[in-house]
């Protein structure tokens, strides 16, 4: 087994901290051979060439006329395609670099079950999120409306109970907040925190908008709210005397889970947004979660079905330029090793900001606000294929959808078969590991310094603490290394002065990507895709009722 | 079943190995024969107790089982050729040897008949195993006299060993109860006559003065003494309301007892039984006491058995049924709780023919009142018209059921004769509830809240 250049102990110490390394290496003997598996994309090589300014020119006969071209087949690009189609504009092409659609919401599948490679859930929408409500209605996920007009998600699409458990010092407990062993002060602080978030939930600005809306554009941009962006979440907790270790772990877990970072590194606006945006108006409860075995891959599959034949995958867009009233989109066909060109009226760039600003000529030339201030976090995702469920020791809470290890730098795992209602037999566990390094570059380097075998070993060693029989049960471990997984909402980055302008079109080039919201969420990608498509629909003279706002 | 055939295979090949090994025995044949007999006594006698105790450590269990079977096979395989050689060397002992041989064969024939039919049900697995060990040890001891002339030295030593072994096995026989309770954690008041672990559950059958009991994961499923009350109550009201029940579905109920009641009705054309565990339905088909109790329902040509999780099965089939009997174990885990949700009942609705009737076992309205009403209200929330009913089943206490349909219905005025428990009076009394079992406020049980599992755990905790 080739764990070079790492020794096993160094590897585990680097990624899981010294105690795990000591415990898993104590037995002396080499661990059993790793199960097979592979390193899945994304296409790092093409990505790097794009970043370094690779711009091939198509031959004269390599050009196609197309009214609208969408660049990027992640959620934002697919949402734009969906909105164009539903708005009556059906002549467009969607160009995607990877062979598979979905970007950071893509999914894989085995003979047993489908599973996520990235995004795995959405909270059930409030009625204000019109785009998401329309999408879920179309998919048959909603079964009606409640007395207040709020969408009602059909039971089988809500995360099945029990939803989550935590592993702490050798034992699984129900829930995410560890009540077992909590002191009176811990519980009091937890209540203080909940009361503070409730206040923000009830808060309305002069125009009656919520402090934290989903999509964010439906919420408030009042200075009182955006001021929170100048603090870190740690500052915010500190200012309220919230020092309980359990509470801080709980809040930090949310920051790591949604934003891949620690309390000190994440904007208090983003932290509170997580806790407040998904709480409904009429009751005090957080919205239930909506999920599928393949996570948000189900939403991607539906959108991809709508886009249909208009998708061209394996095409890396290398240049987007303005020639008079025409937009020229040049793409590199990876398989054919040839450039192709599209002449269009309008283009929608649904690529991450750091690429967009290199791809679009006017942006390269300094038109519009700069976007390179956005730092990106790195994530590793492992899918572990199991022959059977790990044994449950007596006194432990049974397997849930989300299974979190308190003493681990990972986020634990979600279980793909949870939503298929199968409680026995083979399954796939999706293990999430955010690299929370202070400096984004360090995280990316650390991510790429370890290959398939090393990351598989990290995942197995980490989870074996909770499941001693895991190695025997695991038949395959595939690894995804997301170098630019998501924009990191660091203090001061969510509400920069030019936030609004970054999303505005530059001439006939429109922008859509979750990065424009500075937090990575399905709702935001959907919102920007729908908004950009509606800009294009309006410019083409079509009258459509906006789903965006 | 695969375990069973593997055991047979291993045993047969071990016999061969034993026979081959006998080649290497060149002198002292008679003595070695007796020694082998004693080893068989020891291994055979202690096999069941050892396996029982080892059960807790499931990981190594099959390995242990197969090694034991192999070892026993090897030694038994050694015996016969040794006997043959004694026979050919000493023709004058022909008589004696023939007697021993006959005893051995008759013994094993008797064993194969006695074992499942008479001994196991009466003595329990552990005692049966010890009894066979004892028989072998006695034969060994007896042979020391029969084969006396052939043995040169150390006769007393052999006899002492045989006697020690006999005493040990006797003690084991006498103390078998303590052993059983050690291994099954003293769960069962009566003797365990059958125990097995399938990938899904631990199945245990016990036998006491009043009859059999079946336990799944330590929870009583029925007692043969009064199960007729439970199963008549579960099945017949639904079958009476429906004018002409031809296609019947049973969910759970792998013991076949609900099916026995259903098959009484000549108008029934087809019964589909969906039970997760093939181990359970196989046992009900083949284990004589159970098969007798369910009137060999599984052999009825009208019956189709499906070993699947009902939740996934019901989403795939397109058949429709006139009567559905829902006989799942109590909702004591999330995996079972899902089978009592609005989601499950919604899927069930889609499988109902017009006018179909459904009967659901709903745990005890007395011991688990909130759980009981939670099931009733959940059925209603899923769109059923529900008539709650209950009756006393001494082994369980007061037990609750739900009679449900998609439209309004009347409880039939009369019960046809021929049943042991149900008559007109009993039927109507079942639909009345005393003050301490009446409705309480409950949450609806859904996949995303599993309210029922939480109620159930709370309520039964008080009684354990
Ligand atoms: C590990 C992980 C877990 C997550 N979990 C959740 C979750 O549970 N819930 C949630 O709501 N969100 C989650 N997210 C956030 C997720 O990023 C968003 O939900 C959403 O998928 C973002 O979509 P997007 O289209 O804006 O961006 P992307 O997913 O980045 O899509 C961009 C697309 O553009 C393509 N592309 C890039 N360059 C080119 C080029 N030059 N030419 C052509 N195509 C190109 C890419 O291949 C990609 O398909 C998670 C993210 C990660 C990384």
């Amino acid at each position: 087994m080739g764990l070079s250049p790492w020794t096993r102990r160094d590897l585990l110490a680097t990624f899981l901290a010294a105690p795990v390394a000591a415990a898993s290496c104590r037995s002396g003997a080499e661990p059993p051979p790793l199960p097979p598996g592979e390193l899945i994309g994304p296409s790092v090589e093409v990505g790097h060439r794009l970043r370094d300014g690779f711009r091939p020119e198509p031959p004269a006969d390599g050009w196609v006329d197309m009214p609208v071209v969408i660049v990027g087949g992640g959620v934002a690009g697919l949402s734009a395609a969906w909105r164009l189609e539903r708005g009556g504009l059906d002549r467009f092409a969607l160009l995607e670099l990877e062979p598979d659609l979905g970007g950071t919401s893509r999914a894989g599948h085995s003979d047993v079950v489908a599973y996520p490679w990235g995004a795995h859930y959405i909270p059930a929408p409030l009625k204000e999120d019109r785009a998401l409500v329309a999408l879920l209605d179309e998919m048959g996920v909603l079964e009606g409306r409640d007395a207040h007009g709020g969408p009602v998600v059909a039971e089988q699409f809500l995360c099945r109970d029990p939803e989550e458990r935590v592993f702490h010092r050798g034992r699984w407990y129900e829930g995410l907040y560890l009540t077992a062993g909590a002191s009176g002060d811990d519980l009091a602080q937890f209540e203080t925190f909940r009361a503070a978030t409730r206040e923000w939930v009830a808060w309305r600005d002069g125009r009656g908008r919520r402090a934290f809306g989903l999509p964010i554009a439906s919420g408030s941009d009042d200075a009182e709210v955006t001021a929170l962006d100048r603090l870190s979440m740690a500052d915010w907790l500190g200012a309220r005397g919230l020092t309980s270790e359990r509470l801080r772990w709980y809040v930090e877990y949310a920051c790591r889970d949604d934003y891949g970072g620690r309390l000190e590194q994440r904007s208090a606006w983003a932290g509170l947004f997580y806790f407040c945006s998904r709480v409904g108006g009429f009751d005090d409860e957080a919205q239930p979660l909506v999920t599928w075995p393949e996570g948000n891959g189900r939403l991607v599959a539906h959108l991809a079905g709508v886009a249909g034949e208009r998708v061209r995958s394996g095409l890396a867009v290398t240049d987007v330029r303005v020639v008079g009233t025409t937009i020229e989109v040049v793409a590199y066909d990876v398989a054919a090793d040839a450039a192709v060109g599209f002449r269009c009226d309008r283009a929608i760039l649904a690529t991450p900001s750091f690429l967009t600003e290199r791809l679009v000529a006017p942006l390269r030339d300094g038109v519009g606000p700069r976007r390179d201030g956005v730092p990106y976090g790195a994530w590793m995702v492992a899918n572990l294929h199991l022959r059977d469920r790990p044994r449950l020791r007596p006194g432990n809470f049974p397997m849930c959808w989300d299974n979190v290890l308190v003493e681990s730098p990972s986020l634990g795992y979600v279980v793909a078969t949870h939503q298929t209602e199968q409680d026995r037999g083979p399954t796939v566990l999706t293990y999430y590991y955010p690299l929370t390094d202070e400096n984004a570059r360090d995280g990316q380097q650390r991510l790429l310094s370890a290959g398939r075998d090393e990351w598989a070993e990290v995942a197995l060693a980490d989870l074996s603490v909770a499941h001693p029989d895991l190695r025997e049960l695991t038949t395959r471990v595939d690894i995804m290394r997301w170098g630019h997984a998501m924009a990191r909402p660091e203090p001061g980055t969510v509400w920069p002065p030019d936030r609004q302008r970054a999303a505005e079109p530059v001439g006939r080039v429109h922008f859509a990507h979750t990065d424009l919201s500075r937090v990575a969420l399905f709702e935001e990608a959907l919102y920007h895709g729908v908004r950009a498509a509606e800009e294009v629909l309006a410019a083409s003279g079509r009258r459509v009722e906006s789903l965006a706002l | 079943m695969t375990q069973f055939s593997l055991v047979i295979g291993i045993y047969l090949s071990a016999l061969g190995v034993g026979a081959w090994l006998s080649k290497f025995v060149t002198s002292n044949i008679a003595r070695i024969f007796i020694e082998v007999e004693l080893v068989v006594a020891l291994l055979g006698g202690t096999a069941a107790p050892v396996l029982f105790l080892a059960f807790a450590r499931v990981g190594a269990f099959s390995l242990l089982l197969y090694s034991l079977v192999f070892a026993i096979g090897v030694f038994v395989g050694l015996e016969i050729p040794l006997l043959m050689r004694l026979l050919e060397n000493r023709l004058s002992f022909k008589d004696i040897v023939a007697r021993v041989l006959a005893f051995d064969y008759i013994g094993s024939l008797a064993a194969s008949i006695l074992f499942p039919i008479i001994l196991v049900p009466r003595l329990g697995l552990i005692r049966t195993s010890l009894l066979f060990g004892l028989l072998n040890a006695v034969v060994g001891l007896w042979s020391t006299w029969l084969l006396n002339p052939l043995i040169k030295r150390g006769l007393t030593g052999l006899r002492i060993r045989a006697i020690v072994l006999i005493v040990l096995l006797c003690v084991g026989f006498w103390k078998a109860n303590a052993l059983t309770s050690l291994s099954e954690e003293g769960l069962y008041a009566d003797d365990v006559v059958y125990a097995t672990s399938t990938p899904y559950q631990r199945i245990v059958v016990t036998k006491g003065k009043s009859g059999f009991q079946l336990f799944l994961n330590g929870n009583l499923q029925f007692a043969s003494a009064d199960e007729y009350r439970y199963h008549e109550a579960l099945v017949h009201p639904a079958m009476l309301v429906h004018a002409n029940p031809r296609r019947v579905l049973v969910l759970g109920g792998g013991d076949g007892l609900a099916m026995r009641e259903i098959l009484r009705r000549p108008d029934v054309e087809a019964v589909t039984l969906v039970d997760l565990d093939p181990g359970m339905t196989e046992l009900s088909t083949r284990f004589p006491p159970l098969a007798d109790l369910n009137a060999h329902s599984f052999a009825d040509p009208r019956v189709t058995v499906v070993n699947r999780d009902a939740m996934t099965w019901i989403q795939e089939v397109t058949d429709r049924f006139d009567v559905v009997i829902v006989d799942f174990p109590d909702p004591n885990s999330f995996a079972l709780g899902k089978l009592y949700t609005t989601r499950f009942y919604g899927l069930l609705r889609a499988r109902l023919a017009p006018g179909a009737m459904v009967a659901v076992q709903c745990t005890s309205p007395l011991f688990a009142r909130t759980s009981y009403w939670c099931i009733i209200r959940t059925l209603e929330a899923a769109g059923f018209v529900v008539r709650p009913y209950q009756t006393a089943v001494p082994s369980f206490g007061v037990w609750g059921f739900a009679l449900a349909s998609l439209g309004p219905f009347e409880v039939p005025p009369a019960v046809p004769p021929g049943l042991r428990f149900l008559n007109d009076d009993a039927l109507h009394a079942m639909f009345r509830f005393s003050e301490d079992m009446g409705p309480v406020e409950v949450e609806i049980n859904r996949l995303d809240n599993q309210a029922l599992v939480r109620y159930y755990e709370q309520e039964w905790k008080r009684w354990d």
Side-chain angles (χ1 to χ4, degrees), chain A residues 236-269:
Chain A
W236 187 87
L237 289 171
R240 272 153 199 79
L242 297 174
T243 52
S244 153
E245 229 172 89
R246 274 156 207 272
L247 176 66
R248 292 176 76 93
W249 179 87
Y250 174 75
V251 178
E252 178 158 283
Y253 179 81
C255 286
R256 290 194 297 136
D257 189 33
D258 258 41
Y259 310 130
R262 298 201 308 276
L263 286 179
E264 297 75 25
Q265 305 165 334
R266 292 299 171 260
S267 152
W269 185 93

Side-chain angles (χ1 to χ4, degrees), chain A residues 58-362:
Chain A
D61 62 350
W63 289 90
V64 181
D65 287 332
M66 182 62 68
V68 179
V69 168
I70 301 169
V71 183
V75 170
L78 289 168
S79 304
W82 173 70
R83 189 67 190 98
L84 288 182
E85 163 72 31
R86 295 291 179 253
L89 198 167
D90 56 8
R91 284 200 63 218
F92 61 85
L94 185 153
L95 316 183
E96 166 59 49
L97 149 74
E98 304 285 341
D100 294 327
L101 292 171
T104 45
S105 293
R106 104 178 56 148
H109 62 88
S110 75
D111 295 343
V112 173
V113 69
Y115 47 84
W117 273 121
H120 45 292
Y121 76 94
I122 51 173
L126 299 172
K127 68 168 185 270
E128 287 75 21
D129 195 344
R130 294 218 304 278
L132 186 52
V133 170
L135 175 63
L136 296 181
D137 247 338
E138 182 177 306
M139 290 175 67
V141 170
L142 304 181
E143 61 184 15
R145 300 289 184 274
D146 64 20
H148 309 286
V152 177
V153 175
E155 189 174 355
Q156 66 269 32
F157 301 115
L158 294 174
C159 183
R160 176 156 72 104
D161 187 67
E163 197 171 294
E164 53 209 1
R165 61 173 181 171
V166 283
F167 186 78
H168 176 56
R169 302 216 180 124
R171 206 171 155 160
W172 288 104
Y173 299 90
E174 182 178 13
L176 197 52
Y177 179 79
L178 195 60
T179 36
S183 69
D185 183 48
D186 284 330
L187 295 176
Q189 290 202 23
F190 185 61
E191 270 321 304
T192 310
F193 175 73
R194 299 212 354 149
T197 55
R198 270 198 298 268
E199 267 174 41
W200 276 118
V201 169
W203 189 96
R204 295 289 181 274
D205 70 8
R207 291 165 56 188
R209 294 176 302 186
R210 296 162 55 101
F212 303 98
L214 257 182
I216 293 170
S218 70
S220 178
D221 55 2
D222 191 281
E224 191 185 341
V225 185
T226 57
L228 289 166
D229 186 39
R230 292 197 288 275
L231 301 174
S232 74
M233 197 60 201
D235 294 338
W236 187 87
L237 289 171
R240 272 153 199 79
L242 297 174
T243 52
S244 153
E245 229 172 89
R246 274 156 207 272
L247 176 66
R248 292 176 76 93
W249 179 87
Y250 174 75
V251 178
E252 178 158 283
Y253 179 81
C255 286
R256 290 194 297 136
D257 189 33
D258 258 41
Y259 310 130
R262 298 201 308 276
L263 286 179
E264 297 75 25
Q265 305 165 334
R266 292 299 171 260
S267 152
W269 185 93
L272 288 167
F273 169 78
Y274 173 90
F275 287 101
C276 303
S277 62
R278 43 181 77 180
V279 177
F282 296 97
D283 54 13
D284 198 24
E285 293 291 311
Q287 289 292 94
L289 305 188
V290 179
T291 186
W292 296 268
E294 67 272 49
N296 294 359
R298 181 69 65 93
L299 296 159
V300 165
H302 178 82
L303 294 171
V306 174
E309 297 289 296
R310 289 161 292 197
V311 171
R312 307 261 320 255
S313 52
L315 285 189
V317 171
T318 52
D319 197 14
V320 178
R321 59 203 179 206
V322 184
V323 179
T325 56
T326 303
I327 305 294
E328 290 186 353
V329 177
V330 181
Y332 172 66
D333 186 330
V334 184
D337 187 22
V340 286
F342 296 84
R343 293 204 175 90
C344 49
D345 298 334
R346 290 183 183 266
I348 297 176
L349 267 285
T351 43
S353 296
F354 77 99
L355 283 176
T356 305
E357 69 194 11
R358 287 185 175 81
L359 294 178
V360 181

Side-chain angles (χ1 to χ4, degrees), chain A residues 143 152-163 174 288 391 397-399 420-424, chain B residues 56 58 199-200 276 309 311-312 315 334-335 338 341-343 347 445-451 454:
Chain A
E143 61 184 15
V152 177
V153 175
E155 189 174 355
Q156 66 269 32
F157 301 115
L158 294 174
C159 183
R160 176 156 72 104
D161 187 67
E163 197 171 294
E174 182 178 13
R391 206 151 79 89
F397 197 76
M399 196 178 250
T420 63
E421 291 147 7
Q422 285 159 308
D423 295 305
R424 300 175 178 82
Chain B
V58 194
Y200 306 104
L276 179 63
D309 188 318
M311 190 73 167
T312 39
Q315 298 184 47
F334 294 112
K338 72 186 178 197
T341 53
T342 41
R343 166 72 175 155
L347 292 167
N445 187 42
R446 298 163 47 93
L447 273 181
D448 58 312
N449 69 10
Q450 296 257 22
R454 296 167 200 281

Side-chain angles (χ1 to χ4, degrees), chain B residues 188-201:
Chain B
Y188 308 107
D190 294 324
D191 287 347
V192 172
V193 293
Y194 185 89
T196 185
S197 281
T198 71
Y200 306 104
Q201 57 199 343

